[in-house]
Amino acid sequence: MSNNCSFAEVDNMMTYVELIIYIPIFLFGMALNIFALVEFCARLKKSTESTIYMTNLALMDLLLLLPLPFKMHAANHLWPPELLRFCSVLENLYFVGIYGSIYTIMCISADRWVAICYPFKAKLLRSHKAARIICVGVWVVVFSAIFPIIHSFKERDTGNFSCFHRFSEGRWNPSVIICLQVFGFLGPALVIICCSVQTICTLQQSGKTSSQCQACVKIIYSSLGAFLVPFTPSHLAIFLQFLVHQGMINDCSSMTKISLFLQVTMCLSNITCCLDAVCYYFAAREARSLKPSFKISLTRERKHTFSTSEV
């Protein structure tokens, strides 16, 4: 980036904007996710594959929320060099929470797609054990991918530093950003959108207009919104900032606007911890009120459709 362009005004503005955004997100997010864990783990008499994934999503959201107080402090204070390793751990946990949430939402969409679009195969593919194994796999994959990358994001020097800020220039190289965009956002987004569209079409084609069917559609829309609303702007901003670091955008006015856009959208992406609460609400209702008759009727409808297609 150009050394002649000053970002001091943007940085000063963000010291206040971050506090305004983070404080309510932290308070509401902690309350909603702790309540969700209590609801799924203690109050619901019988767990389902959906509640297992939702429990995992709540844990990911809590992991994202825990570093926020330190992130708020770092927005207004430089940290001494002896806290560099502690900062690296916090940054890793923060990004594990973000991308762990993304992959968990993807698993929820895929699981629902299998259950509704392929009810016969679902009996073989879906189980409590399989859901738990997939959740553990998400943790392993995300930790393995995030920790080696984020650990090298900081410039190593002996002076005070800004935690959660000022990542090294080398980390904006094409290989890192392409992997981040493709595997961190675009790939999961494609899976979530395709699964959601096909699931909604299957529900509509079944001709069911019951409240249970409508509840399923609401769950799908809420999950889709909880993914697209917070993560689409932030990853667009990351791509634009990548173009700045590559010298493709070198106008000072554009650079400062992109810097502000990046920091604001990264802050707002944390609202996923609150938006997921909508998914928790519908999932809890589904676990409590979804009757076997709905699944049986949907399966019969799918069987009837398959039979008539053979005629």
Side-chain angles (χ1 to χ4, degrees), residues 32-61:
L32 292 171
N33 283 280
I34 291 174
F35 176 79
L37 288 177
V38 173
E39 183 77 10
F40 290 136
C41 298
R43 294 184 180 179
L44 290 179
K45 296 180 180 179
K46 184 179 180 181
S47 64
T48 64
E49 288 81 7
S50 296
T51 58
I52 291 173
Y53 288 120
M54 289 295 179
T55 300
N56 192 68
L57 183 58
L59 292 173
M60 288 293 184
D61 286 341

Side-chain angles (χ1 to χ4, degrees), residues 132-142:
R132 293 189 180 99
I133 291 174
I134 291 172
C135 289
V136 172
V138 169
W139 283 89
V140 172
V141 169
V142 176

